[in-house]
Amino acid sequence: SFTGNTDQHYFLEYSRRYLEMIGQAPHDIRDANFKLDGRPDRELVLKLANVYVDMCFEQWHLSRRGMVGAEIWSHWQENMMAGFSRAAFQQAWAIIRADKKCDTEFLLFVERSIARLTTKKETALSGGLPVALSAEAANGRMSYQSTQLSPRQ
């Protein structure tokens, strides 16, 4: 259980916002075979992805500043990983990430999270052989320069 009125307030508020956001999403937003290209609701999906990333940033920022307890952050992070693993999010992220103007450490958090998720999925699909490109990001050897993700020197 979450302790403290502040954690409870944040939990309830972010749960409300998430439910409001997901209520606007297309019915197939969680499908593994989701395809963003060519959809009539493409702009809506991109808008919702932006809202979701902004909400995740707020949660990440609250955690980094010590404004929420470890238990609520763990819950949020688990849900972020579920969201980041979705085909719809990953396709939208590939489009919107260059325009995101928030903390570069958060952008790296998202990129590394996706890379770890992708590495786990691809490793499972390849019978245990690691995938070098994804591993590079997962191991933190990536950094933002301008709005592009590039290897650290």
Side-chain angles (χ1 to χ4, degrees):
S1 67
F2 299 119
T3 58
N5 288 336
T6 302
D7 277 5
Q8 184 178 15
H9 168 77
Y10 284 132
F11 179 78
L12 293 173
E13 178 61 18
Y14 281 100
S15 294
R16 182 195 62 75
R17 287 173 59 191
Y18 176 79
L19 291 172
E20 182 179 292
M21 178 192 64
I22 204 70
Q24 298 175 44
H27 72 282
D28 60 343
I29 195 82
R30 292 183 172 138
D31 288 358
N33 297 322
F34 185 93
K35 298 287 184 235
L36 183 59
D37 289 339
R39 293 180 66 99
D41 56 1
R42 182 180 186 272
E43 291 306 311
L44 171 64
V45 173
L46 293 174
K47 176 186 166 198
L48 293 174
N50 266 302
V51 169
Y52 182 67
V53 170
D54 290 346
M55 194 167 66
C56 290
F57 171 72
E58 292 169 19
Q59 293 171 331
W60 177 85
H61 185 73
L62 289 168
S63 173
R64 297 264 308 203
R65 296 202 52 210
M67 298 175 70
V68 294
E71 188 175 355
I72 196 168
W73 169 242
S74 178
H75 176 77
W76 284 346
Q77 190 173 22
E78 184 178 310
N79 286 310
M80 283 180 204
M81 296 309 113
F84 296 166
S85 73
R86 307 271 185 218
F89 177 82
Q90 291 182 12
Q91 291 168 48
W93 178 248
I95 296 166
I96 67 172
R97 70 179 173 200
D99 294 328
K100 293 312 287 181
K101 305 290 187 226
C102 56
D103 190 292
T104 56
E105 285 300 311
F106 173 72
L107 296 174
L108 285 169
F109 166 76
V110 175
E111 290 289 335
R112 290 175 182 154
S113 297
I114 292 170
R116 276 192 295 275
L117 291 163
T118 303
T119 299
K120 286 179 186 178
K121 180 179 176 183
E122 289 174 353
T123 300
L125 292 174
S126 68
L129 299 173
V131 179
L133 180 64
S134 297
E136 184 175 52
N139 289 329
R141 293 192 307 266
M142 304 295 277
S143 65
Y144 274 91
Q145 295 176 350
S146 177
T147 56
Q148 299 288 323
L149 189 67
S150 59
R152 283 193 188 147
Q153 301 302 325

